[in-house]
Amino acid sequence: MVTIRLMPTPKTVRYLKRDGIDVLILETILNFYLRYIDTRKRAFRYNIKLDIDCRKTSSEYYFKHNEFIIAGLKQTGAESKTKAARLEYLLSHLMHEFRHFVQDRIFHRDVSEITYEDSDVRDGNDAYYDNPLEKDANRFEDKSLPKALDLYNVMKKAKIRNVDQFSG
């Protein structure tokens, strides 16, 4: 069984706080999916750095490095007028990069299977979209995003408060 812990950078903490996004709920959603993907009895825990970088034009996960880099909204031209739209953008990219983490750490796919360049990603070339790892990540993102948004909203409403304090 693999579990992850998201370790947001200070810049990311400010971004999430501005939009009222709870990193613990994001982490819970990813671990929910991991529980169904990896059923081994031996436990592994990965601390994953979460960085939202407004200068980036595309989100990234580097194989063998425990880091999710989410591209800035303005650089990608995404709609960002509402908190709900920014949450959907964040979850969409997070689920995509999460799938690359799963490909790397659970399915043991190799970085040599990535046959495209950064310019292919920027230009939206077929070399990027036809890559089997990207096809899998895009399919996973499309299927998991609606459920992840539902899970986030339900957990946000049902958030438990004041359980970390002794009241005896």
Side-chain angles (χ1 to χ4, degrees), residues 25 152-161:
I25 294 175
Y152 184 88
N153 290 323
V154 166
M155 284 190 258
K156 187 78 172 178
K157 287 178 185 171
K159 186 167 183 172
I160 300 171
R161 301 195 193 308

Side-chain angles (χ1 to χ4, degrees), residues 10 19 33 39 49 55 76 80-81 118-119 150 161:
D19 285 340
Y33 276 96
T39 57
K49 181 180 170 186
R55 298 165 295 184
T76 59
S80 63
K81 292 182 180 176
D118 286 340
S119 60
D150 289 346
R161 301 195 193 308

Side-chain angles (χ1 to χ4, degrees), residues 4-160:
I4 62 170
R5 181 166 183 219
L6 293 177
M7 310 293 285
T9 63
K11 177 176 49 175
T12 301
V13 169
R14 285 192 307 273
Y15 176 89
L16 296 174
K17 192 173 191 176
R18 179 194 76 192
D19 285 340
I21 297 173
D22 190 336
V23 72
L24 188 58
I25 294 175
L26 297 176
E27 182 180 300
T28 303
I29 292 167
L30 298 181
N31 282 315
F32 173 80
Y33 276 96
L34 273 173
R35 185 67 182 105
Y36 288 97
I37 294 169
D38 182 42
T39 57
R40 294 177 286 186
K41 293 190 188 280
R42 187 171 174 204
F44 296 95
R45 181 171 147 203
Y46 292 98
N47 291 330
I48 298 181
K49 181 180 170 186
L50 176 62
D51 187 16
I52 298 174
D53 191 342
C54 294
R55 298 165 295 184
K56 294 278 187 181
T57 57
S58 64
S59 297
E60 302 168 348
Y61 170 79
Y62 294 107
F63 279 55
K64 306 298 180 216
H65 294 85
N66 296 332
E67 181 176 11
F68 295 149
I69 301 172
I70 307 299
L73 285 163
K74 292 179 182 168
Q75 295 296 333
T76 59
E79 183 64 35
S80 63
K81 292 182 180 176
T82 65
K83 287 183 179 183
R86 289 190 293 270
L87 173 64
E88 184 175 349
Y89 172 86
L90 174 65
L91 268 175
S92 172
H93 285 256
L94 189 61
M95 297 309 284
H96 183 95
E97 301 312 325
F98 167 71
R99 186 59 174 196
H100 287 310
F101 166 81
V102 169
Q103 292 167 348
D104 177 22
R105 300 297 181 165
I106 296 173
F107 299 149
H108 304 291
R109 307 309 294 196
D110 192 46
V111 71
S112 64
E113 295 179 49
I114 298 173
T115 56
Y116 57 85
E117 303 293 326
D118 286 340
S119 60
D120 294 324
V121 177
R122 273 193 311 274
D123 300 338
N125 293 338
D126 289 341
Y128 172 73
Y129 289 108
D130 289 341
N131 184 278
L133 296 177
E134 288 304 326
K135 281 183 178 180
D136 177 61
N138 286 328
R139 194 174 5 221
F140 179 80
E141 176 188 342
D142 291 342
K143 288 189 175 273
S144 65
L145 180 60
K147 181 60 77 180
L149 281 167
D150 289 346
L151 285 170
Y152 184 88
N153 290 323
V154 166
M155 284 190 258
K156 187 78 172 178
K157 287 178 185 171
K159 186 167 183 172
I160 300 171

